[in-house]
Amino acid sequence: MPNRPVLDFWYEFASPYSFLSALRIEALAESADVTLRWRPFLLGPIFAAQGWTTSPFNLYPNKGRYMWRDTARRAGRNGLSIVKPETFPQNSLIAARLALAGREAGWMPAFSKALFRAEFCEGRNIAEEAVLNAALKGAGADPGQAFPASRSEEVKGRLRAEIEYAKSLGIFGAPTFVTQDGELFWGDDRLEEALDWARDGR
């Protein structure tokens, strides 16, 4: 039996469009017979390399207003209501490190989805330990083990390496989906196309 094709799902916890993809990608990938690799990373260093100090949705107000309306529409199609957090974009450094700490243990996807729901369904601050704790517990992880692991030099280095790898792939936003043959698809509205390409190629 041939190996299933693999799709890399690059996501940023501060990204509303990543939130939309995270909550629907697993079922779609299973239907397409595609294996997912969840790859949390940070957009801040990528934006900084372009001279941006914040999200382009803040730098360009019309673009920001459109984004919140667009994500609300897209969320509504999936039976969700999106809430704009008080601070945007949120500080996602600890969240990304925690997610990477859970990769081998297998709770990364569940933790990611729980945290996205807290942020964009409830308007919670994902930099707060109580919010992170709740997401970890919801994913079946032990915060007493996850937090120390996330502060290890190994995990910090892993996140830095992921960001550099994302840069080398030409990733400039989130979510981004990358197929095994290197094809890059950006945006929640390209998820189905990315899965088709991962399965069938050009």
Side-chain angles (χ1 to χ4, degrees):
M1 182 177 175
N3 292 330
R4 284 174 28 143
V6 176
L7 183 69
D8 282 345
F9 169 35
W10 292 86
Y11 61 101
E12 152 72 79
F13 279 107
S15 158
Y17 286 109
S18 292
F19 152 72
L20 294 175
S21 291
L23 295 194
R24 67 196 193 96
I25 193 169
E26 286 176 313
L28 289 172
E30 191 59 36
S31 294
D33 203 30
V34 171
T35 296
L36 277 180
R37 279 196 299 229
W38 293 66
R39 305 196 78 142
F41 74 119
L42 300 178
L43 278 173
I46 291 174
F47 289 165
Q50 301 176 68
W52 298 347
T53 56
T54 185
S55 165
F57 295 125
N58 287 346
L59 293 172
Y60 305 101
N62 284 343
K63 189 172 187 175
R65 280 191 289 273
Y66 174 83
M67 180 273 290
W68 288 112
R69 183 65 197 127
D70 187 47
T71 51
R73 286 193 302 255
R74 294 187 70 81
R77 290 171 57 194
N78 296 310
L80 299 167
S81 295
I82 197 166
V83 174
K84 181 181 179 181
E86 187 175 336
T87 300
F88 178 81
Q90 294 206 12
N91 185 335
S92 55
L93 174 61
I94 299 173
R97 287 176 177 168
L98 280 169
L100 286 171
R103 177 175 281 166
E104 282 75 26
W107 47 259
M108 177 195 279
F111 166 74
S112 299
K113 290 184 291 182
L115 199 60
F116 272 128
R117 284 186 179 276
E119 181 180 15
F120 291 114
C121 293
E122 302 167 18
R124 307 290 299 278
N125 185 346
I126 62 168
E128 291 180 359
E129 188 168 334
V131 177
L132 292 162
N133 259 315
L136 286 167
K137 290 175 180 175
D142 178 1
Q145 294 180 347
F147 275 102
S150 74
R151 291 190 285 267
S152 70
E153 290 305 314
E154 179 194 354
V155 168
K156 289 178 181 179
R158 194 183 303 171
L159 179 56
R160 288 192 294 269
E162 287 288 88
I163 294 166
E164 290 306 310
Y165 184 41
K167 288 179 182 177
S168 76
L169 293 172
I171 290 175
F172 56 87
T176 294
F177 314 101
V178 183
T179 61
Q180 283 176 290
D181 62 354
E183 200 72 13
L184 187 149
F185 297 84
W186 169 55
D188 176 60
D189 58 349
R190 293 294 183 268
L191 172 53
E192 286 85 353
E193 187 178 345
L195 286 164
D196 287 345
W197 190 288
R199 183 187 59 215
D200 302 324
R202 70 181 72 242

